[in-house]
């Protein structure tokens, strides 16, 4: 049986090798590259991201990543965003009073969590949406590893999306699944067996 091909988009942000290894363990053949043709041809595209929204968008635009994502989604070809790679899929992000335009795949903005301890760092349960592919077979008390200060805290998009929520004093979106586009605010590659199961579910659906 042929392994699904996955490209981890290299735009200067994210734990690329860790993501690559985790996806390989999940059963994918993985390439880390910014090559547009490779990203277009792969069965799945993973968009990682760490750090600031603005820096990620700058790096993404440098390799035309926003266009790569848009083209894949328009063609119904799977994309998975991780951490800030999820956040940049929204219309915009606001950090330190500065608003940065995102990829605009989903309406709404990413804002700072109103919580006494920031960043939100550590293990947390999630409330998986009904019919989720990513969380298929996982128990409700399964924990995932988060490290972030910002998140999408409202959903303004289509009602057909599968939404998974988590709480760090305030509710925020832990994952979104809509057609070919999926994303997680937590790090599957740092979430042990639980994260491995999420990646395996995504790879098996390619």
């Amino acid at each position: 049986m042929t392994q699904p091909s996955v490209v981890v988009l290299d735009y200067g942000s994210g734990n690329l090798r860790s993501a690559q290894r985790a996806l390989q363990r999940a059963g994918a053949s993985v390439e880390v590259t910014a090559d547009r043709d490779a990203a277009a041809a792969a069965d799945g595209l993973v968009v990682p991201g760490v750090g600031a929204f603005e820096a990620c968008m700058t790096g993404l635009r440098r390799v035309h990543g926003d266009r790569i994502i848009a083209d894949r989604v328009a063609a119904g070809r799977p994309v998975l965003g991780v951490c800030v790679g999820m956040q940049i899929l929204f219309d915009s992000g606001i950090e330190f009073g500065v608003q940065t335009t995102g990829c605009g795949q989903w309406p709404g903005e990413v804002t700072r969590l109103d919580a006494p301890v920031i960043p939100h760092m550590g293990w947390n349960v999630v409330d998986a949406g009904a019919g989720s592919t990513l969380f298929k077979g996982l128990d409700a008390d399964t924990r995932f590893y988060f490290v972030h200060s910002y998140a999408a805290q409202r959903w303004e998009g289509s009602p057909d999306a599968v939404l998974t929520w988590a709480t760090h004093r305030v509710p925020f979106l832990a994952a979104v699944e809509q057609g070919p586009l999926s994303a997680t605010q937590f790090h599957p590659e740092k979430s042990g067996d639980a994260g491995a199961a999420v990646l395996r579910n995504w790879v098996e659906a390619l």
Side-chain angles (χ1 to χ4, degrees):
M1 183 174 165
T2 306
Q3 289 183 310
S5 61
V6 172
V7 160
V8 176
L9 189 62
D10 182 2
Y11 64 98
S13 178
N15 197 346
L16 303 177
R17 299 304 166 188
S18 177
Q20 180 184 30
R21 288 192 297 270
L23 287 157
Q24 287 170 337
R25 288 193 295 269
S29 170
V30 188
E31 181 182 5
V32 177
T33 182
D35 183 79
R36 192 168 184 166
D37 292 337
D43 295 320
L45 177 70
V46 172
V47 183
V50 295
F53 189 107
E54 184 179 23
C56 282
M57 279 308 303
T58 298
L60 195 67
R61 289 197 180 97
R62 193 177 298 125
V63 301
H64 309 292
D66 50 343
R67 190 73 258 150
I68 291 169
I69 294 167
D71 289 347
R72 283 191 65 96
V73 172
R77 296 178 60 72
V79 175
L80 175 67
V82 174
C83 197
V84 185
M86 170 177 174
Q87 296 177 9
I88 52 89
L89 296 172
F90 287 86
D91 280 338
S92 64
I94 298 177
E95 293 184 358
F96 309 110
V98 177
Q99 184 172 41
T100 302
T101 301
C103 291
Q105 291 296 323
W106 291 323
E109 63 187 17
V110 171
T111 53
R112 191 175 191 272
L113 293 171
D114 182 14
V117 178
I118 291 291
H120 170 218
M121 183 183 299
W123 297 83
N124 206 337
V125 296
V126 302
D127 182 14
S132 168
T133 296
L134 294 179
F135 299 95
K136 183 178 66 179
L138 289 167
D139 295 334
D141 61 355
T142 302
R143 293 179 177 270
F144 300 89
Y145 186 77
F146 291 83
V147 53
H148 63 117
S149 300
Y150 297 81
Q153 298 175 62
R154 293 189 314 188
W155 177 251
E156 301 172 25
S158 170
D160 68 352
V162 176
L163 308 178
T164 292
W165 295 86
T167 302
H168 180 62
R169 185 180 176 188
V170 292
F172 63 89
L173 282 163
V176 178
E177 300 163 66
Q178 185 180 31
L181 188 57
S182 301
T184 66
Q185 179 60 64
F186 59 86
H187 285 275
E189 78 282 4
K190 296 180 181 178
S191 295
D193 291 344
V198 166
L199 292 178
R200 192 161 55 248
N201 285 338
W202 183 73
V203 168
E204 288 176 353
L206 294 177

